[in-house]
Amino acid sequence: MQELTLELLTAKAFAPFGTVLDTDLAEKRMINEGTTERFHALATADTETEGGRTILSLFRGQPRVFPYKITMMERHPLGSQAFFPVTNRAWIAVVAEDEDGLPGPPRAFRVPGNVGVQYARNIWHHPLIAVGEPCNFLVMDREGDGTNLEEIGYPAPYVITAP
């Protein structure tokens, strides 16, 4: 088993996999007669391949038990997927580059509770990893025809020893 070290999430480090959704990095606009701050266009959905459409859902992730083994990865070839926490709890995003149609070695990012990520279309990632207690996420992804989920197991697990 190989141990994964949690990396600091930065827009540059995460760029090969998608976009960091951070209000500190967003274009800010005051709207509604100056009573509302809009963090404009945090993510742009890539979901229209093969007639797909964008949907917004609420996911409730149950906390993982650590040490936690990363035994598989998934990807969505027909659409991007954005996760934004609404419970303000830190969480973990695990991603991997593609190596000839298989996920390469994973990278794990500690994500602050007020920051989200958007996985680009066809990027290998691990399912949601909530930490400590159940966490709610707004999730923007694709609904529609076509096969939009691939799951591949690793021959040997990677482990995150502690959040």
Side-chain angles (χ1 to χ4, degrees):
M1 233 180 328
Q2 294 183 41
E3 185 173 343
L4 284 178
T5 301
L6 291 176
E7 299 179 45
L8 177 65
L9 180 70
T10 65
K12 183 177 179 180
F14 198 77
F17 311 105
T19 306
V20 173
L21 311 178
D22 185 345
T23 56
D24 288 341
L25 304 175
E27 176 188 340
K28 295 166 186 68
R29 298 179 181 179
M30 292 305 295
I31 61 171
N32 298 335
E33 299 175 334
T35 63
T36 303
E37 191 171 11
R38 175 182 175 147
F39 302 96
H40 185 70
L42 287 173
T44 303
D46 177 5
T47 60
E48 296 179 7
T49 302
E50 295 187 23
R53 66 186 181 118
T54 303
I55 60 171
L56 183 66
S57 303
L58 181 73
F59 286 19
R60 180 164 294 134
Q62 297 303 309
R64 306 296 176 128
V65 176
F66 293 87
Y68 180 72
K69 292 179 183 176
I70 303 296
T71 60
M72 60 79 72
M73 297 291 267
E74 67 179 34
R75 68 179 174 181
H76 306 284
L78 303 179
S80 61
Q81 195 174 43
F83 289 80
F84 202 92
V86 294
T87 47
N88 200 21
R89 294 199 49 86
W91 58 291
I92 297 172
V94 178
V95 292
E97 293 188 22
D98 184 79
E99 293 184 355
D100 297 319
L102 299 172
R107 293 176 64 184
F109 292 92
R110 182 187 321 269
V111 186
N114 62 342
V115 173
V117 301
Q118 178 170 293
Y119 301 119
R121 181 166 49 96
N122 217 29
I123 290 295
W124 291 109
H125 61 279
H126 189 275
L128 185 61
I129 300 176
V131 175
E133 61 185 58
C135 298
N136 292 335
F137 292 81
L138 285 177
V139 178
M140 180 177 64
D141 63 351
R142 179 189 185 276
E143 179 179 66
D145 293 335
T147 303
N148 192 33
L149 176 63
E150 288 183 54
E151 296 178 332
I152 300 287
Y154 281 116
Y158 293 83
V159 67
I160 300 171
T161 56

